[in-house]
Amino acid sequence: MAKRPITDPMLRSIVNAQLSRRKMLVGAGGLTLASMLAACGTGGGTAGKSAAAATAAADLSESEKLVNWANWTLYLDYDDSTGTYPSLEAFTRATGIDVNYSEDVDGNDTYFGKIQGQLAAGQDIGADIVTVTDWMTSRLIRLGYTQELNLDNIPNAANLLAGLQDVDFDPGRRHSLTWQTGFAGIAWNKEAFPKGLKSVSDLWQPELKGRVEVLDEMRDTMGLIMMENGVDVTGNWTADDFDNALDVLSKQIADGQIRQVKGNSYKEDLISGDALAVIGWSGDITQLNFEEGNKWEFALPEAGGTLWSDNMSIPVGSPHKANAEKLMNYYLDPENAATVAAYVNYICPVEGAREAMEAIDPELSDNPLIFPTDEYMARAHVVRTLSADEETDLSDRFQTAIGN
């Protein structure tokens, strides 16, 4: 199992640095993480309740010592030698609650497409915890697809970094809690393509034709391309700005420069060598280097990369709500949060994890993908909050362009 450290002073500096940026529509001032993370949602703060999903399922937690958790790939500590998740096993030993853990989330849109019908009917989707990105969490809350958390069962929610305690898409954190945060940028196989990349436009070099992949996460791929076009993605950019970037993406797909547009599974193509360069996520590349031989380089483009967070929430049809809350509480404990961060290599959202991390592996404390410097953070931006109409319109255009 990989082991990675994190330093509390750096986490505090990230949070403090971002408190000046609570309104992403303004788009001015110094870059800050807390306000960025607070502004990633799609709607404005209050959740509209769909009639079908308004009634939560009966809680069977006392009679069924079980919790089902849907998450992204490579997003929890894993022991290759035993094929198990050590922290989950420790949770089961401590609580008697079994966990069915599945790597079902390959992309926010694709996962939502799988579960939307059941959520609208208020049915159990087979997951008591789902882990999706801020803007999708916002959508779930707005549509009434999540249960309100009993924070009395989650005292460790108080350990979230200060800037994550209250977010615009979930005021007071009544429906969601942060899992991890991270960057999207460019990455390449440094053995096969030693001259490297500095910008998104470098992905369009002839030597890379047919060996480039980009994310099906609209805000990351389109955010990076818009920044390459000189657009402030945190400000009042327009549909025309989006369309100009979409023209770039569509051309590269049509010309065969881009091999595929994918979710988390792009990692498999990096490993196989089918893809040499990607728009990808920071923690994925750090972890692949640890597991596959340090073959790749990740960088934020000169024009900037994106910053995001993923959140845990309990779907409206979940029959194991209290058990799910116990699991959330467990992972918001600093030692357990450090165990996860040691493996997944993203920014840890839990205050107090630094001391626990120092005991795991202090050698990686200077990794800017885990402990971002001020200089690194100055090149990371969150795509501004979209209205519900914008989200629908732009998402439809993006999905059409990528062939979905």
Side-chain angles (χ1 to χ4, degrees):
M1 180 177 64
K3 295 184 176 182
R4 316 279 170 154
I6 195 163
T7 57
D8 213 19
M10 179 59 68
L11 285 173
R12 290 195 182 98
S13 70
I14 292 170
V15 173
N16 291 336
Q18 55 177 302
L19 294 179
S20 64
R21 196 172 191 166
R22 296 297 299 175
K23 301 290 186 180
M24 298 315 299
L25 294 178
V26 175
L31 183 73
T32 59
L33 178 60
S35 58
M36 290 179 177
L37 297 172
C40 289
T42 58
T46 56
K49 294 293 182 182
S50 69
T55 303
D59 195 347
L60 305 178
S61 292
E62 286 299 320
S63 58
E64 297 180 1
K65 297 297 184 182
L66 177 68
V67 60
N68 301 303
W69 183 6
N71 205 347
W72 302 74
T73 62
L74 297 179
Y75 224 22
L76 188 64
D77 55 297
Y78 183 75
D79 190 332
D80 290 311
S81 64
T82 62
T84 62
Y85 299 94
S87 64
L88 283 183
E89 291 195 328
F91 170 78
T92 297
R93 289 194 299 270
T95 64
I97 298 171
D98 291 320
V99 182
N100 290 328
Y101 182 79
S102 58
E103 296 181 334
D104 285 347
V105 185
D106 186 61
N108 286 294
D109 281 312
T110 54
Y111 184 65
F112 182 73
K114 294 176 182 177
I115 63 176
Q116 180 179 12
Q118 290 171 283
L119 288 173
Q123 297 173 351
D124 179 12
I125 64 170
D128 303 299
I129 298 176
V130 296
T131 311
V132 292
T133 308
D134 281 341
W135 64 269
M136 181 58 74
T137 303
S138 174
R139 181 191 294 181
L140 296 179
I141 295 170
R142 189 176 67 243
L143 293 173
Y145 291 169
T146 62
Q147 299 189 45
E148 183 170 343
L149 302 174
N150 180 356
L151 294 178
D152 289 339
N153 291 337
I154 317 174
N156 286 334
N159 293 334
L160 279 179
L161 294 173
L164 299 173
Q165 293 282 347
D166 189 52
V167 293
D168 67 347
F169 60 87
D170 186 15
R173 283 295 188 183
R174 304 303 304 182
H175 290 262
S176 67
L177 293 165
T178 309
W179 173 242
Q180 303 291 315
T181 74
F183 303 106
I186 50 179
W188 62 96
N189 185 318
K190 56 191 179 184
E191 296 175 354
F193 195 70
K195 70 177 185 178
L197 307 173
K198 294 183 178 179
S199 66
V200 171
S201 58
D202 285 345
L203 292 168
W204 319 142
Q205 296 178 70
E207 308 98 291
L208 293 173
K209 185 171 183 176
R211 311 292 290 279
V212 175
E213 295 187 359
V214 300
L215 294 168
D216 64 4
E217 189 64 48
M218 180 183 74
R219 285 158 181 79
D220 290 330
T221 291
M222 295 302 292
L224 263 64
I225 297 175
M226 283 197 289
M227 282 186 274
E228 181 79 359
N229 287 348
V231 175
D232 176 8
V233 297
T234 72
N236 292 316
W237 52 269
T238 66
D240 287 341
D241 294 323
F242 184 89
D243 284 342
N244 290 337
L246 199 61
D247 288 343
V248 173
L249 177 66
S250 298
K251 181 180 187 304
Q252 300 305 327
I253 293 174
D255 290 349
Q257 184 73 19
I258 293 176
R259 179 179 182 271
Q260 284 185 308
V261 182
K262 306 186 79 170
N264 253 157
S265 56
Y266 76 90
K267 300 187 301 293
E268 300 166 8
D269 296 330
L270 285 175
I271 294 170
S272 70
D274 289 337
L276 295 183
V278 299
I279 290 177
W281 289 307
S282 55
D284 287 346
I285 304 306
T286 304
Q287 192 177 89
L288 283 178
N289 277 333
F290 186 87
E291 296 180 346
E292 301 290 336
N294 196 28
K295 299 176 183 177
W296 298 276
E297 187 80 20
F298 176 92
L300 295 182
E302 291 176 335
T306 57
L307 185 69
W308 47 265
S309 69
D310 291 325
N311 306 275
M312 302 176 286
S313 60
I314 300 176
V316 68
S318 163
H320 308 111
K321 179 174 181 285
N323 291 345
E325 290 167 342
K326 289 180 181 178
L327 187 62
M328 290 179 174
N329 189 64
Y330 173 82
Y331 279 109
L332 292 175
D333 173 86
E335 289 189 6
N336 298 327
T339 297
V340 173
Y343 185 88
V344 304
N345 304 294
Y346 287 108
I347 301 169
C348 180
V350 176
E351 185 72 36
R354 177 253 179 192
E355 292 81 4
M357 282 302 229
E358 284 183 339
I360 294 175
D361 188 349
E363 295 181 1
L364 294 175
S365 61
D366 60 348
N367 187 328
L369 304 183
I370 306 171
F371 318 105
T373 62
D374 290 343
E375 179 183 4
Y376 208 86
M377 288 297 297
R379 292 161 54 205
H381 311 273
V382 168
V383 176
R384 70 161 171 85
T385 298
L386 303 180
S387 70
D389 288 343
E390 280 183 310
E391 182 189 337
T392 299
D393 179 38
L394 300 183
S395 180
D396 286 347
R397 297 191 210 183
F398 178 71
Q399 293 300 322
T400 297
I402 66 176
N404 287 349

